[in-house]
PDB file of all heavy atoms in Angstrom:
ATOM      1  N   SER V  71       5.782  77.559 -55.249  1.00 95.00           N
ATOM      2  CA  SER V  71       6.726  76.676 -54.683  1.00 95.00           C
ATOM      3  C   SER V  71       7.493  75.985 -55.774  1.00 95.00           C
ATOM      4  O   SER V  71       7.114  75.931 -56.945  1.00 95.00           O
ATOM      5  CB  SER V  71       6.111  75.709 -53.737  1.00 95.00           C
ATOM      6  OG  SER V  71       5.214  74.907 -54.387  1.00 95.00           O
ATOM      7  N   GLY V  72       8.609  75.238 -55.381  1.00 97.00           N
ATOM      8  CA  GLY V  72       9.308  74.526 -56.339  1.00 97.00           C
ATOM      9  C   GLY V  72      10.704  75.150 -56.650  1.00 97.00           C
ATOM     10  O   GLY V  72      10.978  76.231 -56.167  1.00 97.00           O
ATOM     11  N   GLN V  73      11.441  74.459 -57.554  1.00 97.00           N
ATOM     12  CA  GLN V  73      12.825  74.925 -57.905  1.00 97.00           C
ATOM     13  C   GLN V  73      13.031  74.740 -59.352  1.00 97.00           C
ATOM     14  O   GLN V  73      12.688  73.670 -59.983  1.00 97.00           O
ATOM     15  CB  GLN V  73      13.853  74.262 -57.044  1.00 97.00           C
ATOM     16  CG  GLN V  73      15.237  74.774 -57.308  1.00 97.00           C
ATOM     17  CD  GLN V  73      16.256  74.134 -56.368  1.00 97.00           C
ATOM     18  OE1 GLN V  73      16.216  72.922 -56.138  1.00 97.00           O
ATOM     19  NE2 GLN V  73      17.217  74.962 -55.797  1.00 97.00           N
ATOM     20  N   ILE V  74      13.657  75.698 -60.004  1.00 97.00           N
ATOM     21  CA  ILE V  74      14.124  75.640 -61.356  1.00 97.00           C
ATOM     22  C   ILE V  74      15.636  75.948 -61.304  1.00 97.00           C
ATOM     23  O   ILE V  74      16.086  76.884 -60.664  1.00 97.00           O
ATOM     24  CB  ILE V  74      13.442  76.686 -62.234  1.00 97.00           C
ATOM     25  CG1 ILE V  74      11.953  76.610 -62.216  1.00 97.00           C
ATOM     26  CG2 ILE V  74      13.916  76.617 -63.718  1.00 97.00           C
ATOM     27  CD1 ILE V  74      11.173  77.758 -62.779  1.00 97.00           C
ATOM     28  N   SER V  75      16.416  75.090 -61.981  1.00 96.00           N
ATOM     29  CA  SER V  75      17.841  75.236 -61.999  1.00 96.00           C
ATOM     30  C   SER V  75      18.470  74.856 -63.357  1.00 96.00           C
ATOM     31  O   SER V  75      17.989  74.026 -64.009  1.00 96.00           O
ATOM     32  CB  SER V  75      18.529  74.457 -60.869  1.00 96.00           C
ATOM     33  OG  SER V  75      18.199  73.069 -60.953  1.00 96.00           O
ATOM     34  N   CYS V  76      19.565  75.590 -63.640  1.00 96.00           N
ATOM     35  CA  CYS V  76      20.349  75.241 -64.812  1.00 96.00           C
ATOM     36  C   CYS V  76      21.748  74.823 -64.296  1.00 96.00           C
ATOM     37  O   CYS V  76      22.458  75.659 -63.811  1.00 96.00           O
ATOM     38  CB  CYS V  76      20.436  76.450 -65.761  1.00 96.00           C
ATOM     39  SG  CYS V  76      21.490  76.157 -67.214  1.00 96.00           S
ATOM     40  N   GLY V  77      22.095  73.560 -64.380  1.00 89.00           N
ATOM     41  CA  GLY V  77      23.295  73.041 -63.783  1.00 89.00           C
ATOM     42  C   GLY V  77      23.229  73.332 -62.311  1.00 89.00           C
ATOM     43  O   GLY V  77      22.280  72.957 -61.600  1.00 89.00           O
ATOM     44  N   GLU V  78      24.243  74.065 -61.793  1.00 89.00           N
ATOM     45  CA  GLU V  78      24.271  74.356 -60.322  1.00 89.00           C
ATOM     46  C   GLU V  78      23.614  75.689 -60.011  1.00 89.00           C
ATOM     47  O   GLU V  78      23.580  76.118 -58.878  1.00 89.00           O
ATOM     48  CB  GLU V  78      25.713  74.352 -59.930  1.00 89.00           C
ATOM     49  CG  GLU V  78      26.420  73.019 -60.068  1.00 89.00           C
ATOM     50  CD  GLU V  78      25.840  71.912 -59.339  1.00 89.00           C
ATOM     51  OE1 GLU V  78      25.380  72.133 -58.184  1.00 89.00           O
ATOM     52  OE2 GLU V  78      25.666  70.840 -59.893  1.00 89.00           O
ATOM     53  N   THR V  79      23.042  76.359 -61.020  1.00 94.00           N
ATOM     54  CA  THR V  79      22.557  77.719 -60.826  1.00 94.00           C
ATOM     55  C   THR V  79      21.040  77.670 -60.628  1.00 94.00           C
ATOM     56  O   THR V  79      20.248  77.133 -61.459  1.00 94.00           O
ATOM     57  CB  THR V  79      22.805  78.663 -62.028  1.00 94.00           C
ATOM     58  OG1 THR V  79      24.234  78.689 -62.289  1.00 94.00           O
ATOM     59  CG2 THR V  79      22.312  80.023 -61.855  1.00 94.00           C
ATOM     60  N   THR V  80      20.584  78.268 -59.489  1.00 95.00           N
ATOM     61  CA  THR V  80      19.160  78.233 -59.162  1.00 95.00           C
ATOM     62  C   THR V  80      18.546  79.406 -59.964  1.00 95.00           C
ATOM     63  O   THR V  80      18.958  80.532 -59.836  1.00 95.00           O
ATOM     64  CB  THR V  80      18.912  78.400 -57.733  1.00 95.00           C
ATOM     65  OG1 THR V  80      19.430  77.214 -57.094  1.00 95.00           O
ATOM     66  CG2 THR V  80      17.346  78.444 -57.402  1.00 95.00           C
ATOM     67  N   LEU V  81      17.421  79.162 -60.635  1.00 96.00           N
ATOM     68  CA  LEU V  81      16.804  80.186 -61.488  1.00 96.00           C
ATOM     69  C   LEU V  81      15.464  80.604 -61.025  1.00 96.00           C
ATOM     70  O   LEU V  81      14.792  81.472 -61.545  1.00 96.00           O
ATOM     71  CB  LEU V  81      16.652  79.703 -62.961  1.00 96.00           C
ATOM     72  CG  LEU V  81      17.917  79.334 -63.597  1.00 96.00           C
ATOM     73  CD1 LEU V  81      17.653  78.823 -65.107  1.00 96.00           C
ATOM     74  CD2 LEU V  81      18.921  80.429 -63.654  1.00 96.00           C
ATOM     75  N   THR V  82      14.899  79.927 -59.944  1.00 95.00           N
ATOM     76  CA  THR V  82      13.518  80.153 -59.452  1.00 95.00           C
ATOM     77  C   THR V  82      13.370  81.640 -59.191  1.00 95.00           C
ATOM     78  O   THR V  82      14.159  82.233 -58.364  1.00 95.00           O
ATOM     79  CB  THR V  82      13.260  79.373 -58.178  1.00 95.00           C
ATOM     80  OG1 THR V  82      13.812  78.047 -58.338  1.00 95.00           O
ATOM     81  CG2 THR V  82      11.788  79.216 -57.891  1.00 95.00           C
TER      82      THR V  82
END
Side-chain angles (χ1 to χ4, degrees):
S71 60
Q73 185 176 40
I74 303 167
S75 57
C76 178
E78 300 300 318
T79 304
T80 298
L81 304 180
T82 318

